[in-house]
Amino acid sequence: MRIRLRRPTVTQALVGVFLPLVSGTGLLVAWIDAQRLGQMITSASEDLVRARADRLRSSWARQVDPVKQMLELQVVQEAVPAPPPASRWRSLLPRFQQILARHPLVTAYNLGWQDGSLFRVVRVMQFDGRRLPGLPPRAAYLVETLDRRQGVPLARREAFDSALRSLGPLPVPEQLRDYDVTQAPWFRSAQRARGEMVISPPQMLKLTGGLGFTFSTSADGRSVAVAVVLAANLDSVLQRFRITPGTELAVVDDKARLLLSPGRDDDADRMLPLGRSRIPGLAAMEPQLRQLMGSADPFRQQPRLRAFRAGRRAWYGAVVGIQDPQTRSGNYLLMAVPAEQLLADARKALRAAEFTTLLVVLFSAPLVLLLAMRIARPLKQLAQQAARIRHFDFDSRPAVGSLLREVNDLGSTVQGMRDTIRSFLQSSAALGAEPDVELLLQRLLDDAIEASGARSGVLYRADASEPDNQLKPLLQHDHGSDAPSLQSLPPLAPDALEQVGDSNALVLPLRSRDGGLQGALALRFDRPPEDARVAFCRALSGSAAVALETRSLIAAQKALFEAFVQLLADAIDAKSPYTGGHCARVPALARALAEAACDAKEGPFAAFELTDRDWEALHLAAWLHDCGKVTTPEFVVDKATKLETLYDRIHEVRMRFELLKAEAETAYWRGVAEGGDPDALRQARDRIWADLDADFAFVAACNQGGERMEPEQIQRLERIASRRWRRTLDDRLGISADERRRCAGEAEVSLPVLEPLLSDRTRHRIERLPQQRLPSDNPWGFTMREPELLYNRGELANLCISRGTLSEEERYKINEHIIHTIRMLEALPFPAHLRDVPEIAGGHHERMDGKGYPRSLSAEQMSPLARVMAIADVFEALTASDRPYKSGKPLSAALAIMAAMVRDHHLDPELFELFLRSGACRRYAEDHLAEDQCDPVDVEAVLAASRPGNA
């Protein structure tokens, strides 16, 4: 009997072959690495630093001890109870030269006596290559002497070359003449020590500059010898104790002051410069040394290497004590070594481990490769196919064959998944990209039939007009020639969607995301469809329902927004009879001019074109260009006379005149009753009446507004205003709280009171509130100058308005509508393709020369469509015939005015010429203007008048 072996699974094959090999190799490599790394780290951290610390202390002693021994010997040999005569000064110099020559660390040698005398020899060339400043070029030694034996200090300063030949005396500084040896710290400490050697704490040296130490002693207490050692001279000592090239070193004292910071071979010299006035602290150290110093325990005599991090690097550091037993303060060496340099040996061990691992892998590679190739080849093919699917590459590929059962099954599954996803994505992409709802439905039906293999299909759409909300057949797709017509198909009841009994039919409801029924997709097959086909059709119907709902919502939202825009425009036009129809006619004008620009084949607009989204932006901007007018008060827009607010205050003025006439009548009768001449009194009364009538008539005429108020007219108004009328009632009774606050600035008077016939009172000045002010750095870039007041309702101030009926404050309030337009539109969350709507709508009051408002934009700063809006707005305003205060101008008169505006750099000359030559203005006039307004126009003459210099 043949026994059929069962093929192993992929998991069994991979675990059985790779697990023992990889596990053994990994354990071996890990064991070797752990052993080597542990040994290297232990050796570096425990032995190296201790040995270097001991060597540092002994080396430091070898450098400093000879200086102390030399000084002690010289004090015994050269002890002089009193300064020698002047003739012996030079005899001491050769011996001091020998001292400096034998001890390179010593930079100066001094002898001081109790009477204040001093003998000093200084090395000119320092150990680190720096010279004392202000000396002759050949100078090798500087000798300074100070003799105080005669009571008057005798100071001398002289330079010598290397052969002790004098280079001449040098100027003696005042500080040398005033120098008191007996007060020097080294002199006083040596006298107190009674023959003991005194090493000073680190200090800044005044003569040579830089940081240094002094070694001083006295044999008899009357004279003191001192040797001066620069800390910089110890650089070479420290350089030998670098563990690695990148080692950072610094010497500090027990007060954490930086004494020495020798530079590395690859670093600039970081010795303390000559002339520094004080010893630097922690801030002068390298960051890693500063961190090591700040985190160290009290300084240890036995160093211990420890790991730390500074910046982005790992370091090992130690604090090494190098203090001398004779000094009362200690010095310490800070050492910081980069971890990568200290553990270089450990890294070599790691590379050795990697090499061992590589040998193991190379030894086992042939066997592993042989097995892996057989197993991985089909898996690799499947992975490639999966990668193509991930990158949306659904091209057909041959089926994958393998010895493993799971791989064969996976290959079949991947192939089926590829075909299904390809069909679904193609259909979903097509459904999502189709903006037309009718074409979307047709594509849905066609894709469903093609992907499912159905023989025919019908798409039903929900129709609220149908009884019982039945679904009405909308589209049909049938391969047969005897298929019934779409009109003969009966409606489908919603309840019947789940009760289809035919196994060859499939009815899929199309539901929105909230569960609402939008329609249904009915498919008929030649035989019962496979489950995979049914699942695919259900997924496709769900995607189609979402796409259908989305398109319907977008269309509804666009329709709603369009209706809202037109509703707002209609509300603005209905708000005032003076702007009726303006918001509806400007879009027609703007579109006509934009179409002319798109149709131009030559000239500046030959390359001008607009996309569908650009047209939508222009359409919305044109309808909304005056939406800010909803904020403009009607009493300002409709102000027909100068004194008009919510009503015409000329009636109050008339009553004052009537009161004055009544007072004249009363005066007449009082005079008659008192026995006066009736004729004379009557004549006086009539003269007063005539004057009052004439004055009121003049005031009433001024209230009407006009082209210009002459100075003599303003003077007459001021004279009329000076007349007085008598008020006997309190004018603060019955008024609003707001007006009562404005009256607070006026002094209360006793009644009755005589008041001017026309007045500008405090209560007439309505202040602009802080929230109503526009800051100069506003985010919209508005540059309009705001009047100080919100309104000025002074009677005399309004009657003296120079032109028209609007005050400065009221004119600003009207112009302010464009500010509100821009702010309102920029606050709307327009989609990306409509983000230019605020700029297009808000620029129609700008001028080409930058003198317009609200942003003072020039032509270069405005988009072409914004300049189109400016021409459309001006032309409509000039030709509108539904304004109660004026009649529409004829076409020729309107274009003549616009030509002057072009000449004054108000409107775009190129667009104005296009407006005329394209016939856009004539076509608009024929469609929207009265017949008597459409008079002939000489286009060339108008264009000539629009050019500069042709006024």
Side-chain angles (χ1 to χ4, degrees), residues 643 649 759-761 764 792-799:
L643 291 178
R649 292 178 295 162
S759 64
D760 292 338
R761 305 179 65 177
H764 292 147
N792 183 358
R793 293 176 178 167
E795 296 167 345
L796 186 60
N798 276 266
L799 287 171

Side-chain angles (χ1 to χ4, degrees), residues 851-871:
K851 297 180 180 179
Y853 64 92
R855 292 170 170 161
S856 300
L857 301 179
S858 61
E860 295 76 15
Q861 296 173 294
M862 299 172 60
S863 66
L865 293 182
R867 286 175 270 159
V868 165
M869 286 293 303
I871 289 181

